[in-house]
Amino acid sequence: MRLKCIKLRFTIKGAALSVYKVAVVGAGPAGYFTAQAFQKAQRDDLSFAIDMIERLPTPWGLVRSGVAPDHPKIKTVSKVFEKITKEPNFRLFANVELGKDVSLKDLRDQYDAVVLATGASTGRKLGIPGEELKNSISAAEFVPWYNAHPDFSDVEVDLSSDTAVVIGAGNVAMDVARILAIDPTELDPTDVAEHALAKLKQSNIRTVIVCGRRGPEHAAFTAPELRDLPKLENTDVYIDSKQIKEAFKHIEEMDEVEKDLRSNIEAMKAIAEHEKKGVARKLEIKFLSTPIEIKGNGKVEEIVFQRNKVKGGKVVATDQMFSIKTGIVISAIGYDSMEYPGVTIESGRIRNIAGHVEHNVYAVGWAKRGPTGVIGTNKSDSTDVVDLIIDNLKEPKTSEGITTLLKSGHEVIDQNAWEKINSSEVISGENAGKPRLKVVDWKQLISLGRS
Ligand code: NAP
């Protein structure tokens, strides 16, 4: 890799220009919006040299390995990311792992600021008996499996039963449920992983039941995603209209009802009332059901729930239980940030105050605030942290940056190599009538970058 030496202070039209070196760790939405915020903050006397470091040989984070393949519009944000990379002060260092190839301490020493945009990739646990049974899977594994993440191609997914249960009432649970419930031929024109599509085409699952522990008025789904459900062509979607009527009663008792909450309940009412097509594929959303135990002999066979009710605005357990016979349980109940040397995880995220971690280290995105918000939420979040960084900047350091830290011969996927991978995937996708054919194998990705 060619070494770019950065002069630290020089003068343009009389103004002293300070060039600060910043490392952004994690090439997902929060990382790119941080890079963009640094670019936008540049002035005659202030400039940034941005090095983006990414563990995988491919960038884009959850836009590549999280966003559902049947939601291609959400992925168009990658065009914004690629525009950011065109600026001369941006460099990509993919296939470089923090904690293994470079340490946080070394980055701290080499850069004026280090921004951790490392997300939250560990699926939260239900903590109930039977959770460890075969085919009880976290969305943190299932989603990257169907999205061709190189670390998850080997996840064992058995779709031989007729019913699947998804735990959680958030957008990830909805993505997972939709992928299991739609006719897999609907995924033909998408960038879903080839191995997942083949498995989904053999799936016996015809009923998918999404279970939320609280009521519709507490669900974490968002209205646009809910409104899409009745439009599914080959799947009937069910919500018990009694639960929706109850939810309307409860929100009328509230002092103030947020607009988003009302539109969520309206969207769920539309689902409940929507005329069914009478097709074999069903997706049901069930509320007020807390999972208590997963049962099975070596593998998932049944899941037991406690029924809840809403009393005085609070969700309380009843003494009623019910169970669902199922061969697969997927829990989509949120994520925690992964631990690595040099950071402390507290309440599932990197310990920080308004993005400041310690010294010249900062956090953004899910690593900073936990797994909340949509992709766009990261834009304002990253801008706030970059403003804070700028306030805290001292004299620019006289150091070389990451190139002095990597072992000689370490194969970096830089922007040029990534563009080769990207165009190869897009070209093979064109031939197959898809936006891209994702390469799953790590070594193959690296060799494509070399080509
Ligand atoms: P989420 O929105 O926080 O939803 C998590 C769900 O899990 C909640 O319904 C929560 O219920 C439930 N839950 C938590 N612990 C549980 C337990 N022990 N037992 C049963 N249920 C439990 O998280 P997410 O779905 O992972 O989504 C993460 C973020 O990504 C969200 O901001 C989401 O909107 C976003 N996202 C957006 C899109 C999109 O825009 N299309 C797609 C995917 C994800 P309680 O509320 O009762 O805790």
Side-chain angles (χ1 to χ4, degrees), residues 71 74 125-126 167-173 175 211 213-214 218-220 222 225 291 332-335 366 371-374:
H71 278 171
I74 299 179
K125 291 272 181 200
L126 287 166
I167 308 295
N171 284 335
V172 172
D175 282 348
C211 298
R213 60 181 171 181
R214 299 195 283 157
H218 309 113
T222 48
E225 281 65 32
I333 59 168
Y335 300 83
W366 282 10
T372 58
V374 292

Side-chain angles (χ1 to χ4, degrees), residues 33-49:
F33 285 129
T34 300
Q36 188 186 50
F38 277 120
Q39 289 172 346
K40 284 188 172 169
Q42 295 189 112
R43 309 182 299 244
D44 283 352
D45 61 341
L46 179 68
S47 176
F48 298 98

Side-chain angles (χ1 to χ4, degrees), residues 184-429:
T185 57
E186 292 174 54
L187 293 171
D188 279 337
T190 74
D191 64 359
V192 68
E194 290 295 280
H195 58 250
L197 186 57
K199 201 98 192 223
L200 288 163
K201 286 192 171 169
Q202 288 165 3
S203 166
N204 289 334
I205 292 170
R206 293 297 175 269
T207 302
V208 180
I209 307 174
V210 178
C211 298
R213 60 181 171 181
R214 299 195 283 157
E217 67 273 38
H218 309 113
F221 305 128
T222 48
E225 281 65 32
L226 285 164
R227 281 195 217 103
D228 276 348
L229 291 181
K231 296 179 201 155
L232 295 179
E233 282 180 23
N234 302 299
T235 311
D236 278 328
V237 184
Y238 296 83
I239 296 184
D240 182 352
S241 44
K242 274 192 276 168
Q243 288 192 326
I244 302 300
K245 271 189 202 142
E246 282 293 306
F248 266 113
K249 267 201 241 160
H250 296 144
I251 64 168
E252 294 318 330
E253 286 161 10
M254 293 177 184
D255 294 338
E256 209 180 329
V257 184
E258 278 180 26
K259 203 170 136 237
D260 285 353
L261 172 55
R262 194 173 288 281
S263 55
N264 251 18
I265 308 283
E266 292 289 354
M268 287 190 243
K269 180 170 179 267
I271 293 171
E273 292 173 352
H274 187 258
E275 197 179 329
K276 309 299 177 234
K277 297 172 276 283
V279 290
R281 295 177 183 276
K282 296 182 175 62
L283 192 168
E284 184 186 349
I285 304 177
K286 237 182 203 331
F287 292 101
L288 296 166
S289 306
T290 296
I292 298 297
E293 183 178 2
I294 303 173
K295 290 183 170 173
N297 189 4
K299 108 178 238 311
V300 173
E301 289 171 13
E302 184 179 1
I303 176 163
V304 184
F305 290 90
Q306 181 163 47
R307 228 182 272 282
N308 302 323
K309 64 178 179 185
V310 180
K311 203 176 166 192
K314 293 219 166 92
V315 178
V316 291
T318 72
D319 54 9
Q320 289 171 39
M321 305 280 184
F322 71 96
S323 71
I324 300 172
K325 297 275 184 215
T326 177
I328 181 165
V329 171
I330 299 184
S331 54
I333 59 168
Y335 300 83
D336 288 334
S337 285
M338 228 170 56
E339 281 199 42
Y340 48 87
V343 299
T344 307
I345 304 297
E346 203 172 69
S347 307
R349 57 204 149 121
I350 293 176
R351 187 162 68 195
N352 72 91
I353 297 171
H356 186 219
V357 178
E358 43 124 21
H359 303 286
N360 56 345
V361 181
Y362 298 80
V364 290
W366 282 10
K368 170 197 170 219
R369 61 176 197 276
T372 58
V374 292
I375 289 168
T377 314
N378 294 302
K379 202 169 173 176
S380 53
D381 187 70
S382 296
T383 304
D384 290 346
V385 177
V386 166
D387 287 347
L388 176 68
I389 295 170
I390 292 171
D391 285 347
N392 292 346
L393 284 173
K394 298 188 173 78
E395 280 293 297
K397 287 185 178 168
T398 51
S399 51
E400 291 289 355
I402 190 167
T403 42
T404 56
L405 301 175
L406 293 171
K407 277 199 194 121
S408 88
H410 183 99
E411 194 139 14
V412 169
I413 296 289
D414 61 9
Q415 184 61 24
N416 188 30
W418 157 240
E419 282 170 16
K420 287 182 190 164
I421 297 171
N422 192 21
S423 58
S424 162
E425 285 189 340
V426 170
I427 288 164
S428 35

